[in-house]
Amino acid sequence: MKALSVGVIAFLALAFCPAAVKSQGVPFDHLKCYKIKDTRVPAAKEHRVTLVPEQSPPFEAEQCVVKMKAKLFCIDVQKTSVEPPPGGEPSPGPPAADYLCYKFKGKCNPSVRKDFKIDVTDQFAAGTIVIKKAGMLCAPATKGLPTTTTTTVTTTTTTTTTTMPHFTCDPTIKYPECDGTCPPPLVCQDSGGVGFCECQTPQSFCEDPQNPFGPPLCWGDCPGLPPLVCQLDQQQGDVCRCLPAP
């Protein structure tokens, strides 16, 4: 496996933020990640998710396809007796927890622009890192299996079954034939750039990776108020964006 993915690096970076959780003077604020073989049987082989970063900007919301076989298991640890000593001062971070980390299928949409740079600091070094692409999603995990509870009722009970409404945005229909209905505010459109229809948050054709009129020629529809136009955003790496009219 290559260097830890963006998702894992983000978790490790949190280990150097201020907090007050200590154990014998040293907090469990780091993550130690193990390569694993996941023998569990998931309900689905993959899931399409929208991931909204708390740190926005500079990061953006991305639609990703997550492959349902975990590759890493991360646990919270203390870090002591570092030789040689790191150059910076250690800062206690927030308490860590257990995580299972899953790889993405292909690129997220929209993907991070090429060679996106950001300055970061921890006790080992300070400087600039280059973000390549989203690599993994790490989800909180709990060691052990869920417990089950059996309740016996001797009185007469009435069972009500609620059926979720069926919408005509058919995921088996290929883009761009996405003309079905969805519960507001969702719309029927391309499912994250993989070529099939799905009910999801509105996305403009201007920002669609399958748009044949991509940079430097930007053309497409832009929803929202005030009126927006599809134009070249050079500050974001020469990509087409829905921006206010110049």
Side-chain angles (χ1 to χ4, degrees):
M1 183 178 292
K2 296 181 180 179
L4 286 180
S5 66
V6 174
V8 178
I9 292 175
F11 282 116
L12 296 177
L14 288 174
F16 301 97
C17 300
V21 179
K22 295 185 178 181
S23 176
Q24 298 180 350
V26 181
F28 287 87
D29 59 354
H30 286 53
L31 291 178
K32 181 180 181 182
C33 298
Y34 297 86
K35 294 182 180 179
I36 63 171
K37 178 180 180 181
D38 191 353
T39 61
R40 300 172 302 162
V41 180
K45 292 184 179 180
E46 59 188 40
H47 290 280
R48 289 185 291 271
V49 299
T50 298
L51 303 176
V52 181
E54 181 180 6
Q55 304 171 40
S56 177
F59 296 96
E60 300 180 20
E62 295 180 295
Q63 294 177 335
C64 308
V65 178
V66 185
K67 299 170 66 175
M68 285 294 101
K69 280 294 181 181
K71 298 299 181 181
L72 296 176
F73 180 57
C74 302
I75 62 172
D76 53 321
V77 294
Q78 294 178 342
K79 176 173 62 57
T80 61
S81 304
V82 182
E83 294 294 341
E89 290 294 327
S91 295
D98 294 342
Y99 293 91
L100 281 169
C101 298
Y102 301 84
K103 294 184 67 175
F104 293 129
K105 179 180 179 181
K107 291 184 177 181
C108 295
N109 173 41
S111 60
V112 176
R113 67 180 185 269
K114 185 178 180 181
D115 295 334
F116 171 58
K117 297 179 181 180
I118 185 171
D119 294 333
V120 295
T121 301
D122 64 14
Q123 69 183 97
F124 296 105
T128 301
I129 61 174
V130 181
I131 305 297
K132 293 297 184 180
K133 68 174 184 178
M136 286 191 181
L137 173 67
C138 293
T142 302
K143 289 187 286 289
L145 297 176
T147 58
T148 58
T149 302
T150 302
T151 303
T152 302
V153 180
T154 56
T155 59
T156 302
T157 59
T158 301
T159 302
T160 302
T161 302
T162 302
T163 303
M164 295 300 292
H166 173 71
F167 303 103
T168 58
C169 184
D170 190 348
T172 64
I173 298 177
K174 288 190 175 183
Y175 177 86
E177 301 299 327
C178 298
D179 58 356
T181 58
C182 294
L186 303 182
V187 296
C188 184
Q189 62 182 21
D190 180 24
S191 55
V194 297
F196 290 88
C197 304
E198 185 181 48
C199 290
Q200 57 182 276
T201 304
Q203 173 185 326
S204 72
F205 182 63
C206 172
E207 299 172 308
D208 192 329
Q210 295 187 2
N211 182 359
F213 300 96
L217 178 61
C218 294
W219 177 88
D221 297 326
C222 290
L225 293 174
L228 304 177
V229 295
C230 185
Q231 56 187 298
L232 191 65
D233 186 355
Q234 296 179 336
Q235 294 182 351
Q236 296 295 324
D238 290 337
V239 295
C240 294
R241 298 286 188 195
C242 287
L243 301 172

